[in-house]
Amino acid sequence: MSSEAATAEANSPANDPRALTLENVERNLDELRPYLMADGGNVEVVEIDGPIVKVRLQGACGSCPSSTMTLKMGIERKLREAIPEVAEVVQVL
């Protein structure tokens, strides 16, 4: 691969860690999963709909009274910091 092709590939949106892609969302969620799992829960990406990431809280997180706080102050904050294109994270059942 030429150096120009390598530079173009490195700068493509698919390789941008701040682009709103399923891979980037999953990578960031993987950083949060150990904390969710420690409390008996997890998170699953259901859909990316434009700038909105739809997730399903699983296990203990799905029925926890603090799940809204976990979603907004934990998951949404992390994703919005890492991926500026994310406007909102919403929970689906």
Coordinates of all heavy atoms in Angstrom, one line a residue:
M1 N 0.9 -1.2 0.0 CA 0.0 0.0 0.0 C 0.9 1.2 0.0 O 1.9 1.3 0.8 CB -0.9 0.0 1.2 CG -1.8 1.2 1.4 SD -2.8 1.2 2.8 CE -3.7 -0.3 2.7
S2 N 0.6 2.2 -0.9 CA 1.4 3.4 -0.9 C 1.1 4.2 0.3 O 0.1 4.1 1.0 CB 1.0 4.2 -2.2 OG -0.2 4.8 -2.0
S3 N 2.0 5.2 0.6 CA 1.9 6.0 1.8 C 0.7 6.9 1.6 O 0.0 7.2 2.6 CB 3.1 6.8 2.1 OG 3.4 7.7 1.0
E4 N 0.3 7.3 0.4 CA -0.9 8.2 0.1 C -2.1 7.4 0.4 O -3.1 7.9 1.1 CB -0.9 8.7 -1.3 CG 0.2 9.7 -1.6 CD 0.2 10.0 -3.1 OE1 -0.5 9.5 -3.9 OE2 1.1 10.8 -3.4
A5 N -2.2 6.1 0.0 CA -3.3 5.2 0.3 C -3.5 5.0 1.8 O -4.6 5.0 2.3 CB -3.2 3.9 -0.5
A6 N -2.3 4.8 2.5 CA -2.4 4.5 3.9 C -2.9 5.8 4.6 O -3.7 5.7 5.6 CB -1.0 4.1 4.4
T7 N -2.5 6.9 4.2 CA -2.9 8.2 4.8 C -4.4 8.4 4.6 O -5.2 8.7 5.5 CB -2.1 9.4 4.3 OG1 -0.8 9.2 4.6 CG2 -2.6 10.7 4.9
A8 N -4.9 8.1 3.3 CA -6.3 8.3 3.0 C -7.1 7.3 3.8 O -8.2 7.6 4.3 CB -6.5 8.1 1.5
E9 N -6.6 6.1 4.0 CA -7.4 5.1 4.8 C -7.4 5.5 6.3 O -8.4 5.3 6.9 CB -6.7 3.7 4.6 CG -7.4 2.6 5.4 CD -6.8 1.3 5.2 OE1 -6.4 0.9 4.0 OE2 -6.7 0.5 6.2
A10 N -6.3 6.0 6.8 CA -6.3 6.4 8.2 C -7.2 7.6 8.4 O -7.7 7.7 9.5 CB -4.9 6.8 8.6
N11 N -7.4 8.4 7.5 CA -8.3 9.6 7.6 C -9.7 9.4 7.2 O -10.5 10.3 7.3 CB -7.7 10.8 6.8 CG -6.4 11.3 7.4 OD1 -6.2 11.1 8.6 ND2 -5.5 11.8 6.6
S12 N -10.1 8.2 6.8 CA -11.4 7.9 6.3 C -12.4 7.9 7.5 O -11.9 7.5 8.6 CB -11.5 6.6 5.5 OG -11.4 5.5 6.4
P13 N -13.6 8.2 7.4 CA -14.6 8.2 8.5 C -14.7 6.8 9.2 O -14.9 6.7 10.4 CB -15.9 8.6 7.8 CG -15.6 9.3 6.6 CD -14.2 8.7 6.1
A14 N -14.5 5.8 8.4 CA -14.6 4.4 9.0 C -13.5 4.2 10.0 O -13.7 3.4 10.9 CB -14.4 3.4 7.9
N15 N -12.4 4.9 9.9 CA -11.3 4.7 10.9 C -11.2 5.8 11.9 O -10.3 5.8 12.7 CB -9.9 4.6 10.1 CG -9.8 3.3 9.3 OD1 -10.4 2.3 9.7 ND2 -9.2 3.4 8.2
D16 N -12.1 6.7 11.9 CA -12.1 7.9 12.8 C -12.8 7.4 14.1 O -14.0 7.0 14.1 CB -12.9 9.0 12.2 CG -13.0 10.2 13.1 OD1 -12.4 10.2 14.2 OD2 -13.6 11.2 12.7
P17 N -12.0 7.4 15.2 CA -12.6 6.9 16.5 C -13.7 7.8 17.0 O -14.4 7.4 18.0 CB -11.4 6.8 17.4 CG -10.4 7.8 16.8 CD -10.7 7.8 15.4
R18 N -13.9 9.0 16.5 CA -14.9 9.9 16.9 C -16.1 9.9 16.0 O -17.1 10.6 16.2 CB -14.3 11.3 17.0 CG -13.2 11.4 18.1 CD -12.6 12.7 18.3 NE -13.5 13.8 18.5 CZ -13.9 14.2 19.7 NH1 -13.5 13.5 20.8 NH2 -14.7 15.2 19.9
A19 N -16.1 9.0 15.0 CA -17.3 8.9 14.1 C -18.4 8.1 14.7 O -18.1 7.2 15.5 CB -16.8 8.3 12.7
L20 N -19.6 8.4 14.4 CA -20.7 7.7 14.9 C -20.9 6.4 14.1 O -21.6 6.4 13.1 CB -22.0 8.5 14.9 CG -23.3 7.9 15.5 CD1 -23.0 7.2 16.8 CD2 -24.4 8.9 15.5
T21 N -20.3 5.3 14.6 CA -20.4 4.0 13.9 C -20.7 3.0 15.0 O -20.4 3.2 16.2 CB -19.1 3.6 13.2 OG1 -18.0 3.4 14.2 CG2 -18.7 4.6 12.1
L22 N -21.3 1.9 14.6 CA -21.5 0.8 15.6 C -20.3 0.4 16.3 O -20.2 0.2 17.5 CB -22.2 -0.3 14.9 CG -22.6 -1.5 15.8 CD1 -23.5 -1.1 17.0 CD2 -23.2 -2.7 15.0
E23 N -19.2 0.3 15.5 CA -17.9 -0.2 16.1 C -17.4 0.8 17.2 O -17.0 0.3 18.2 CB -16.9 -0.3 15.0 CG -17.2 -1.4 14.0 CD -18.2 -1.1 13.0 OE1 -18.5 0.1 12.7 OE2 -18.8 -2.0 12.4
N24 N -17.5 2.1 16.9 CA -17.1 3.1 17.9 C -18.0 3.1 19.1 O -17.5 3.2 20.3 CB -16.9 4.5 17.3 CG -15.8 4.5 16.3 OD1 -14.9 3.7 16.3 ND2 -15.8 5.5 15.4
V25 N -19.3 3.0 18.9 CA -20.2 2.9 20.1 C -19.9 1.7 20.9 O -19.7 1.8 22.1 CB -21.6 2.9 19.6 CG1 -22.6 2.6 20.7 CG2 -22.0 4.3 18.9
E26 N -19.7 0.5 20.3 CA -19.4 -0.7 21.0 C -18.1 -0.6 21.8 O -18.0 -1.0 22.9 CB -19.4 -1.9 20.1 CG -20.7 -2.3 19.6 CD -21.6 -3.0 20.7 OE1 -21.1 -3.3 21.8 OE2 -22.8 -3.3 20.3
R27 N -17.1 0.0 21.1 CA -15.8 0.2 21.8 C -15.9 1.0 23.0 O -15.3 0.7 24.1 CB -14.8 0.8 20.8 CG -13.4 1.0 21.4 CD -12.4 1.5 20.4 NE -12.9 2.6 19.5 CZ -13.1 3.9 19.8 NH1 -12.8 4.3 21.0 NH2 -13.6 4.7 19.0
N28 N -16.7 2.1 23.0 CA -16.8 2.9 24.2 C -17.7 2.2 25.2 O -17.4 2.3 26.4 CB -17.4 4.3 23.8 CG -16.4 5.2 23.2 OD1 -15.7 5.8 23.9 ND2 -16.3 5.3 21.9
L29 N -18.7 1.5 24.8 CA -19.5 0.8 25.8 C -18.7 -0.3 26.5 O -18.9 -0.6 27.6 CB -20.7 0.2 25.1 CG -21.8 1.2 24.7 CD1 -22.9 0.5 24.0 CD2 -22.3 2.0 25.8
D30 N -17.7 -0.9 25.7 CA -16.9 -2.0 26.3 C -16.1 -1.4 27.5 O -15.8 -2.2 28.4 CB -15.9 -2.5 25.3 CG -16.6 -3.5 24.3 OD1 -17.7 -4.0 24.6 OD2 -16.0 -3.8 23.2
E31 N -15.8 -0.1 27.5 CA -15.1 0.5 28.6 C -16.0 0.6 29.9 O -15.6 0.6 31.0 CB -14.6 1.9 28.3 CG -13.5 1.8 27.2 CD -13.0 3.2 26.8 OE1 -13.2 4.2 27.5 OE2 -12.5 3.3 25.7
L32 N -17.4 0.7 29.6 CA -18.3 0.8 30.7 C -18.8 -0.5 31.2 O -19.3 -0.7 32.3 CB -19.5 1.7 30.3 CG -19.2 3.1 29.9 CD1 -20.5 3.8 29.4 CD2 -18.7 3.9 31.1
R33 N -18.8 -1.5 30.4 CA -19.4 -2.8 30.7 C -18.9 -3.5 32.0 O -19.7 -4.0 32.7 CB -19.3 -3.8 29.5 CG -20.2 -3.5 28.4 CD -20.3 -4.6 27.3 NE -21.4 -4.4 26.5 CZ -21.3 -3.8 25.3 NH1 -20.1 -3.5 24.8 NH2 -22.4 -3.6 24.5
P34 N -17.6 -3.4 32.3 CA -17.2 -4.0 33.6 C -17.9 -3.4 34.8 O -18.3 -4.2 35.7 CB -15.7 -3.7 33.6 CG -15.3 -3.6 32.2 CD -16.5 -2.9 31.5
Y35 N -18.3 -2.1 34.8 CA -19.0 -1.5 35.9 C -20.4 -2.0 35.9 O -21.0 -2.2 37.0 CB -18.9 0.0 35.8 CG -17.5 0.5 35.7 CD1 -16.9 0.9 34.5 CD2 -16.7 0.5 36.8 CE1 -15.6 1.4 34.4 CE2 -15.4 1.0 36.8 CZ -14.8 1.4 35.6 OH -13.5 1.8 35.5
L36 N -21.0 -2.1 34.7 CA -22.4 -2.6 34.7 C -22.5 -4.0 35.1 O -23.4 -4.4 35.9 CB -23.0 -2.4 33.3 CG -23.1 -1.0 32.7 CD1 -23.5 -1.0 31.3 CD2 -24.1 -0.2 33.5
M37 N -21.5 -4.8 34.6 CA -21.5 -6.3 35.0 C -21.3 -6.5 36.5 O -21.8 -7.5 37.0 CB -20.5 -7.0 34.1 CG -20.9 -7.1 32.7 SD -19.5 -7.9 31.7 CE -20.3 -8.0 30.1
A38 N -20.5 -5.6 37.1 CA -20.2 -5.7 38.5 C -21.5 -5.6 39.3 O -21.6 -6.2 40.4 CB -19.2 -4.7 39.0
D39 N -22.5 -4.9 38.8 CA -23.8 -4.8 39.4 C -24.9 -5.7 38.8 O -26.0 -5.6 39.1 CB -24.3 -3.3 39.3 CG -23.5 -2.4 40.2 OD1 -23.0 -2.9 41.2 OD2 -23.4 -1.2 39.8
G40 N -24.4 -6.7 38.0 CA -25.3 -7.7 37.5 C -26.1 -7.3 36.2 O -27.1 -7.8 35.9
G41 N -25.5 -6.3 35.5 CA -26.2 -5.8 34.3 C -25.3 -5.8 33.1 O -24.2 -6.2 33.1
N42 N -25.8 -5.2 32.0 CA -25.1 -5.0 30.8 C -25.9 -4.0 29.9 O -27.0 -3.6 30.3 CB -24.9 -6.3 30.1 CG -23.6 -6.3 29.1 OD1 -23.1 -5.2 28.8 ND2 -23.2 -7.4 28.7
V43 N -25.4 -3.7 28.8 CA -26.0 -2.8 27.8 C -25.8 -3.4 26.4 O -24.8 -3.9 26.1 CB -25.5 -1.4 27.9 CG1 -24.0 -1.3 27.6 CG2 -26.3 -0.4 27.1
E44 N -26.9 -3.3 25.6 CA -26.9 -3.8 24.2 C -27.3 -2.6 23.3 O -28.3 -1.9 23.6 CB -27.9 -4.9 24.1 CG -28.2 -5.3 22.7 CD -29.4 -6.2 22.6 OE1 -30.2 -6.4 23.6 OE2 -29.6 -6.8 21.5
V45 N -26.6 -2.4 22.2 CA -27.0 -1.4 21.2 C -28.0 -2.1 20.4 O -27.9 -3.1 19.8 CB -25.8 -1.0 20.3 CG1 -26.3 0.0 19.3 CG2 -24.7 -0.4 21.2
V46 N -29.2 -1.4 20.3 CA -30.3 -1.9 19.5 C -30.3 -1.3 18.1 O -30.5 -2.0 17.1 CB -31.7 -1.6 20.2 CG1 -32.8 -2.0 19.3 CG2 -31.7 -2.3 21.6
E47 N -30.0 0.0 18.1 CA -30.1 0.7 16.8 C -29.4 2.1 16.9 O -29.4 2.7 18.0 CB -31.5 0.9 16.4 CG -31.8 1.7 15.1 CD -33.3 1.9 14.8 OE1 -34.1 1.7 15.7 OE2 -33.6 2.3 13.7
I48 N -28.8 2.5 15.8 CA -28.3 3.9 15.7 C -29.2 4.5 14.7 O -29.3 4.1 13.5 CB -26.8 4.0 15.3 CG1 -26.0 3.3 16.3 CG2 -26.4 5.4 15.1 CD1 -24.5 3.2 16.0
D49 N -30.0 5.5 15.1 CA -31.0 6.2 14.3 C -30.6 7.6 14.2 O -30.9 8.5 15.0 CB -32.4 6.1 14.9 CG -33.5 6.7 14.1 OD1 -33.2 7.0 12.9 OD2 -34.6 6.8 14.6
G50 N -29.8 7.9 13.1 CA -29.3 9.3 13.0 C -28.3 9.5 14.1 O -27.4 8.7 14.4
P51 N -28.5 10.6 14.9 CA -27.6 10.9 16.0 C -28.1 10.3 17.3 O -27.5 10.6 18.4 CB -27.6 12.5 16.0 CG -29.0 12.8 15.6 CD -29.4 11.8 14.5
I52 N -29.1 9.5 17.3 CA -29.7 8.9 18.5 C -29.2 7.4 18.5 O -29.4 6.7 17.6 CB -31.2 9.0 18.5 CG1 -31.6 10.5 18.5 CG2 -31.8 8.3 19.7 CD1 -33.1 10.7 18.3
V53 N -28.6 7.1 19.7 CA -28.2 5.7 19.9 C -29.3 5.1 20.8 O -29.6 5.6 21.9 CB -26.8 5.6 20.6 CG1 -26.5 4.2 20.9 CG2 -25.8 6.3 19.7
K54 N -29.9 4.0 20.4 CA -30.9 3.3 21.1 C -30.3 2.0 21.8 O -29.7 1.2 21.1 CB -32.1 2.9 20.2 CG -32.8 4.1 19.6 CD -33.9 3.7 18.8 CE -34.6 4.9 18.2 NZ -35.7 4.6 17.3
V55 N -30.4 1.9 23.1 CA -29.8 0.8 23.8 C -30.9 0.1 24.6 O -31.9 0.6 24.9 CB -28.7 1.3 24.7 CG1 -27.6 1.9 23.9 CG2 -29.2 2.2 25.8
R56 N -30.5 -1.1 25.0 CA -31.4 -1.9 26.0 C -30.5 -2.2 27.2 O -29.4 -2.9 27.0 CB -31.9 -3.2 25.3 CG -32.8 -4.0 26.2 CD -33.3 -5.2 25.4 NE -34.3 -4.8 24.4 CZ -34.1 -5.0 23.1 NH1 -33.1 -5.7 22.7 NH2 -35.0 -4.6 22.2
L57 N -30.9 -1.8 28.3 CA -30.2 -2.2 29.6 C -30.7 -3.6 29.9 O -31.9 -4.0 29.8 CB -30.6 -1.2 30.7 CG -30.1 0.2 30.5 CD1 -30.5 1.1 31.6 CD2 -28.5 0.2 30.3
Q58 N -29.7 -4.5 30.3 CA -30.0 -5.9 30.5 C -29.7 -6.2 32.0 O -29.0 -5.6 32.7 CB -29.1 -6.7 29.6 CG -29.4 -6.4 28.1 CD -28.4 -7.2 27.2 OE1 -27.2 -7.4 27.6 NE2 -28.9 -7.7 26.1
G59 N -30.3 -7.4 32.3 CA -30.0 -7.9 33.7 C -30.5 -7.0 34.8 O -31.6 -6.4 34.6
A60 N -29.8 -6.8 35.8 CA -30.2 -6.0 36.9 C -30.3 -4.5 36.5 O -31.2 -3.8 37.1 CB -29.2 -6.1 38.1
C61 N -29.6 -4.1 35.5 CA -29.7 -2.7 35.0 C -31.1 -2.4 34.4 O -31.5 -1.3 34.5 CB -28.6 -2.4 34.0 SG -27.0 -2.3 34.7
G62 N -31.7 -3.4 33.9 CA -33.0 -3.2 33.2 C -34.1 -2.8 34.2 O -35.1 -2.1 33.9
S63 N -34.0 -3.3 35.4 CA -35.1 -3.1 36.4 C -34.6 -2.2 37.6 O -35.4 -2.0 38.5 CB -35.6 -4.4 37.0 OG -34.5 -5.1 37.6
C64 N -33.4 -1.7 37.6 CA -32.9 -1.0 38.7 C -33.5 0.4 38.7 O -33.7 1.1 37.7 CB -31.4 -0.8 38.5 SG -30.5 0.3 39.7
P65 N -33.8 0.9 39.9 CA -34.4 2.2 40.0 C -33.5 3.3 39.6 O -33.9 4.4 39.2 CB -34.7 2.4 41.5 CG -34.7 1.0 42.1 CD -33.8 0.2 41.2
S66 N -32.2 3.1 39.6 CA -31.2 4.1 39.1 C -30.9 3.9 37.6 O -29.9 4.6 37.2 CB -29.9 3.9 40.0 OG -30.2 4.1 41.3
S67 N -31.6 3.1 36.9 CA -31.2 2.9 35.5 C -31.3 4.2 34.6 O -30.5 4.3 33.7 CB -32.1 1.8 34.9 OG -33.5 2.3 34.8
T68 N -32.2 5.1 34.9 CA -32.2 6.4 34.2 C -31.0 7.2 34.4 O -30.4 7.7 33.5 CB -33.5 7.2 34.6 OG1 -34.6 6.4 34.3 CG2 -33.5 8.5 33.8
M69 N -30.5 7.2 35.7 CA -29.3 7.9 36.0 C -28.1 7.2 35.3 O -27.2 7.9 34.8 CB -29.1 7.9 37.5 CG -27.9 8.7 37.9 SD -28.2 10.5 37.7 CE -28.9 10.8 39.2
T70 N -28.1 5.9 35.3 CA -27.0 5.1 34.7 C -27.0 5.5 33.2 O -25.9 5.7 32.6 CB -27.2 3.6 34.9 OG1 -27.1 3.3 36.2 CG2 -26.1 2.8 34.1
L71 N -28.2 5.5 32.6 CA -28.3 5.7 31.1 C -27.8 7.1 30.8 O -27.0 7.3 29.9 CB -29.7 5.5 30.7 CG -30.0 5.7 29.2 CD1 -29.3 4.6 28.4 CD2 -31.4 5.8 28.9
K72 N -28.3 8.2 31.5 CA -28.0 9.6 31.1 C -26.7 10.0 31.6 O -25.9 10.6 30.9 CB -29.1 10.5 31.7 CG -30.5 10.3 31.0 CD -30.4 10.6 29.5 CE -31.7 10.3 28.8 NZ -31.6 10.6 27.3
M73 N -26.4 9.8 32.9 CA -25.1 10.3 33.5 C -23.9 9.4 33.2 O -22.8 9.9 33.3 CB -25.3 10.5 35.0 CG -26.4 11.5 35.3 SD -26.2 13.1 34.6 CE -24.7 13.7 35.5
G74 N -24.1 8.2 32.9 CA -23.0 7.3 32.6 C -22.9 7.0 31.1 O -21.9 7.5 30.5
I75 N -23.8 6.3 30.5 CA -23.7 5.8 29.1 C -23.7 7.0 28.2 O -22.9 7.2 27.3 CB -24.8 4.8 28.8 CG1 -24.5 3.5 29.7 CG2 -24.8 4.4 27.3 CD1 -25.7 2.5 29.7
E76 N -24.8 7.9 28.3 CA -24.9 9.0 27.4 C -23.7 9.9 27.5 O -23.2 10.4 26.5 CB -26.2 9.7 27.6 CG -26.4 10.9 26.6 CD -27.8 11.5 26.8 OE1 -28.7 11.1 26.1 OE2 -27.9 12.5 27.5
R77 N -23.3 10.3 28.7 CA -22.2 11.2 28.9 C -20.9 10.7 28.2 O -20.3 11.4 27.5 CB -22.0 11.4 30.4 CG -20.7 12.3 30.6 CD -20.5 12.5 32.0 NE -21.3 13.5 32.6 CZ -21.4 13.9 33.8 NH1 -20.7 13.2 34.7 NH2 -22.2 14.8 34.2
K78 N -20.6 9.4 28.5 CA -19.4 8.8 27.9 C -19.5 8.8 26.3 O -18.5 9.2 25.7 CB -19.3 7.3 28.4 CG -18.3 6.5 27.7 CD -16.9 6.9 28.0 CE -15.9 5.9 27.4 NZ -14.6 6.4 27.3
L79 N -20.6 8.4 25.8 CA -20.7 8.4 24.3 C -20.7 9.8 23.7 O -20.0 10.0 22.7 CB -22.0 7.6 23.9 CG -22.0 6.1 24.1 CD1 -23.3 5.5 23.7 CD2 -20.9 5.5 23.4
R80 N -21.3 10.7 24.3 CA -21.3 12.1 23.8 C -19.9 12.7 23.9 O -19.5 13.5 23.0 CB -22.3 13.0 24.5 CG -23.7 12.6 24.1 CD -24.8 13.4 24.8 NE -24.8 14.7 24.1 CZ -25.5 15.7 24.5 NH1 -26.3 15.6 25.5 NH2 -25.5 16.9 23.9
E81 N -19.1 12.4 24.9 CA -17.8 12.9 25.0 C -16.9 12.3 24.0 O -16.0 12.9 23.3 CB -17.2 12.6 26.4 CG -17.7 13.5 27.5 CD -17.2 13.1 28.9 OE1 -16.4 12.1 29.0 OE2 -17.7 13.7 29.9
A82 N -17.0 11.0 23.7 CA -16.2 10.2 22.8 C -16.6 10.4 21.4 O -15.7 10.4 20.5 CB -16.2 8.7 23.2
I83 N -17.9 10.6 21.1 CA -18.4 10.7 19.8 C -19.3 11.9 19.7 O -20.5 11.8 20.0 CB -19.2 9.4 19.4 CG1 -18.3 8.1 19.6 CG2 -19.7 9.4 17.9 CD1 -19.0 6.8 19.5
P84 N -18.8 13.0 19.3 CA -19.6 14.3 19.4 C -20.9 14.3 18.6 O -21.8 15.0 18.9 CB -18.6 15.3 18.8 CG -17.3 14.8 19.0 CD -17.4 13.3 18.9
E85 N -21.0 13.4 17.6 CA -22.2 13.3 16.7 C -23.4 12.8 17.5 O -24.5 13.0 17.1 CB -21.9 12.5 15.5 CG -23.0 12.5 14.4 CD -22.6 11.7 13.2 OE1 -21.4 11.4 13.0 OE2 -23.5 11.4 12.5
V86 N -23.2 12.0 18.6 CA -24.2 11.5 19.4 C -25.0 12.6 20.0 O -24.5 13.4 20.8 CB -23.7 10.5 20.5 CG1 -24.8 10.1 21.4 CG2 -23.1 9.3 19.8
A87 N -26.3 12.7 19.8 CA -27.2 13.7 20.3 C -27.9 13.2 21.6 O -28.1 14.0 22.5 CB -28.2 14.2 19.3
E88 N -28.2 11.9 21.6 CA -28.9 11.4 22.7 C -28.8 9.9 22.7 O -28.6 9.3 21.7 CB -30.4 11.8 22.6 CG -31.3 11.4 23.8 CD -32.7 11.8 23.6 OE1 -33.2 12.2 22.5 OE2 -33.4 11.8 24.6
V89 N -28.9 9.3 23.9 CA -29.0 7.9 24.1 C -30.3 7.6 24.8 O -30.6 8.2 25.8 CB -27.8 7.3 25.0 CG1 -28.0 5.8 25.2 CG2 -26.5 7.6 24.3
V90 N -31.1 6.7 24.2 CA -32.4 6.4 24.7 C -32.5 4.9 24.9 O -31.9 4.1 24.2 CB -33.6 6.9 23.8 CG1 -33.6 8.4 23.6 CG2 -33.5 6.2 22.4
Q91 N -33.3 4.6 26.0 CA -33.5 3.2 26.3 C -34.8 2.7 25.6 O -35.8 3.3 25.6 CB -33.7 3.0 27.8 CG -33.9 1.6 28.2 CD -34.0 1.4 29.7 OE1 -33.9 2.4 30.5 NE2 -34.2 0.2 30.2
V92 N -34.6 1.5 25.0 CA -35.8 0.8 24.4 C -36.0 -0.5 25.2 O -35.1 -1.0 25.8 CB -35.6 0.5 22.9 CG1 -35.5 1.7 22.1 CG2 -34.4 -0.4 22.7
L93 N -37.2 -0.9 25.3 CA -37.6 -2.1 26.0 C -37.7 -3.3 25.2 O -37.9 -3.3 24.0 CB -38.8 -1.9 26.9 CG -38.7 -0.7 27.8 CD1 -40.1 -0.4 28.5 CD2 -37.7 -0.9 28.8

